[in-house]
Short mmCIF file of all heavy atoms in Angstrom, two decimals:
data_model
loop_
_atom_site.label_atom_id
_atom_site.label_comp_id
_atom_site.label_asym_id
_atom_site.label_seq_id
_atom_site.Cartn_x
_atom_site.Cartn_y
_atom_site.Cartn_z
N ASP A 42 86.48 85.66 111.26
CA ASP A 42 87.26 84.46 111.54
C ASP A 42 87.14 83.44 110.41
O ASP A 42 88.04 82.64 110.18
CB ASP A 42 86.83 83.84 112.87
CG ASP A 42 85.32 83.85 113.01
OD1 ASP A 42 84.67 84.64 112.30
OD2 ASP A 42 84.79 83.07 113.80
N GLU A 43 86.05 83.47 109.69
CA GLU A 43 85.90 82.47 108.63
C GLU A 43 86.56 82.88 107.33
O GLU A 43 86.86 82.04 106.50
CB GLU A 43 84.41 82.24 108.35
CG GLU A 43 83.76 81.42 109.44
CD GLU A 43 82.27 81.22 109.19
OE1 GLU A 43 81.85 81.32 108.02
OE2 GLU A 43 81.57 80.99 110.17
N THR A 44 86.75 84.16 107.14
CA THR A 44 87.19 84.56 105.81
C THR A 44 88.60 85.15 105.75
O THR A 44 89.18 85.19 104.68
CB THR A 44 86.22 85.59 105.21
OG1 THR A 44 85.96 86.58 106.19
CG2 THR A 44 84.93 84.94 104.80
N ALA A 45 89.14 85.58 106.89
CA ALA A 45 90.48 86.17 106.83
C ALA A 45 91.44 85.12 106.28
O ALA A 45 91.38 83.96 106.69
CB ALA A 45 90.92 86.60 108.23
N SER A 46 92.30 85.50 105.38
CA SER A 46 93.31 84.65 104.74
C SER A 46 92.70 83.54 103.88
O SER A 46 93.41 82.64 103.44
CB SER A 46 94.28 84.03 105.76
OG SER A 46 93.73 82.88 106.36
N ASP A 47 91.41 83.58 103.64
CA ASP A 47 90.80 82.54 102.83
C ASP A 47 90.76 82.98 101.36
O ASP A 47 89.77 83.52 100.88
CB ASP A 47 89.39 82.23 103.34
CG ASP A 47 88.89 80.91 102.77
OD1 ASP A 47 89.32 80.55 101.66
OD2 ASP A 47 88.07 80.26 103.44
N GLU A 48 91.87 82.75 100.69
CA GLU A 48 92.00 83.19 99.31
C GLU A 48 91.00 82.48 98.40
O GLU A 48 90.49 83.05 97.44
CB GLU A 48 93.43 82.92 98.85
CG GLU A 48 93.83 83.62 97.58
CD GLU A 48 95.27 83.33 97.19
OE1 GLU A 48 95.90 82.47 97.82
OE2 GLU A 48 95.74 83.97 96.23
N LEU A 49 90.72 81.24 98.74
CA LEU A 49 89.80 80.46 97.91
C LEU A 49 88.41 81.11 97.90
O LEU A 49 87.84 81.34 96.84
CB LEU A 49 89.72 79.03 98.43
CG LEU A 49 88.86 78.08 97.60
CD1 LEU A 49 89.50 77.83 96.25
CD2 LEU A 49 88.64 76.77 98.34
N LEU A 50 87.89 81.41 99.09
CA LEU A 50 86.55 81.99 99.13
C LEU A 50 86.54 83.45 98.72
O LEU A 50 85.63 83.90 98.05
CB LEU A 50 85.95 81.85 100.54
CG LEU A 50 85.61 80.43 101.00
CD1 LEU A 50 84.73 80.48 102.24
CD2 LEU A 50 84.91 79.64 99.91
N GLN A 51 87.56 84.19 99.13
CA GLN A 51 87.50 85.64 98.92
C GLN A 51 87.92 86.05 97.51
O GLN A 51 87.44 87.05 97.00
CB GLN A 51 88.37 86.37 99.95
CG GLN A 51 87.91 86.07 101.36
CD GLN A 51 87.94 87.29 102.26
OE1 GLN A 51 87.64 88.39 101.84
NE2 GLN A 51 88.28 87.09 103.50
N VAL A 52 88.83 85.32 96.91
CA VAL A 52 89.35 85.78 95.63
C VAL A 52 88.98 84.83 94.48
O VAL A 52 88.63 85.26 93.40
CB VAL A 52 90.89 85.98 95.69
CG1 VAL A 52 91.42 86.49 94.37
CG2 VAL A 52 91.24 86.94 96.80
N VAL A 53 89.04 83.52 94.73
CA VAL A 53 88.79 82.59 93.63
C VAL A 53 87.29 82.30 93.49
O VAL A 53 86.70 82.55 92.46
CB VAL A 53 89.59 81.29 93.82
CG1 VAL A 53 89.30 80.31 92.69
CG2 VAL A 53 91.09 81.59 93.86
N ARG A 54 86.67 81.81 94.57
CA ARG A 54 85.23 81.50 94.45
C ARG A 54 84.32 82.69 94.72
O ARG A 54 83.19 82.70 94.28
CB ARG A 54 84.87 80.37 95.42
CG ARG A 54 85.42 79.02 95.04
CD ARG A 54 84.72 77.94 95.85
NE ARG A 54 85.51 76.73 95.96
CZ ARG A 54 85.48 75.91 97.01
NH1 ARG A 54 84.72 76.17 98.05
NH2 ARG A 54 86.22 74.82 97.01
N ARG A 55 84.80 83.65 95.48
CA ARG A 55 84.03 84.87 95.76
C ARG A 55 82.63 84.58 96.28
O ARG A 55 81.64 85.12 95.78
CB ARG A 55 83.87 85.72 94.50
CG ARG A 55 85.18 86.14 93.93
CD ARG A 55 85.41 87.59 94.22
NE ARG A 55 86.51 88.07 93.42
CZ ARG A 55 86.89 89.32 93.40
NH1 ARG A 55 86.25 90.21 94.10
NH2 ARG A 55 87.90 89.69 92.67
N THR A 56 82.55 83.73 97.27
CA THR A 56 81.24 83.32 97.76
C THR A 56 80.51 84.41 98.54
O THR A 56 79.35 84.26 98.84
CB THR A 56 81.37 82.08 98.65
OG1 THR A 56 82.49 82.26 99.49
CG2 THR A 56 81.56 80.83 97.82
N HIS A 57 81.20 85.50 98.88
CA HIS A 57 80.50 86.56 99.60
C HIS A 57 79.72 87.47 98.64
O HIS A 57 79.06 88.39 99.07
CB HIS A 57 81.46 87.39 100.46
CG HIS A 57 82.63 87.93 99.70
ND1 HIS A 57 83.50 87.14 99.00
CD2 HIS A 57 83.06 89.18 99.52
CE1 HIS A 57 84.42 87.90 98.44
NE2 HIS A 57 84.17 89.13 98.73
N GLN A 58 79.82 87.20 97.35
CA GLN A 58 79.04 87.97 96.38
C GLN A 58 78.07 87.04 95.67
O GLN A 58 78.35 85.86 95.52
CB GLN A 58 79.97 88.56 95.32
CG GLN A 58 81.07 89.43 95.86
CD GLN A 58 80.56 90.70 96.48
OE1 GLN A 58 79.69 91.34 95.95
NE2 GLN A 58 81.08 91.05 97.64
N PRO A 59 76.94 87.57 95.18
CA PRO A 59 76.09 86.73 94.35
C PRO A 59 76.85 86.33 93.08
O PRO A 59 77.78 87.02 92.68
CB PRO A 59 74.91 87.64 93.99
CG PRO A 59 75.05 88.86 94.82
CD PRO A 59 76.45 88.93 95.33
#
Side-chain angles (χ1 to χ4, degrees):
Chain A
D42 43 340
E43 285 178 23
T44 47
S46 82
D47 196 332
E48 195 179 8
L49 184 68
L50 292 194
Q51 300 221 37
V52 181
V53 179
R54 289 194 203 148
R55 300 255 193 176
T56 42
H57 54 303
Q58 304 292 318

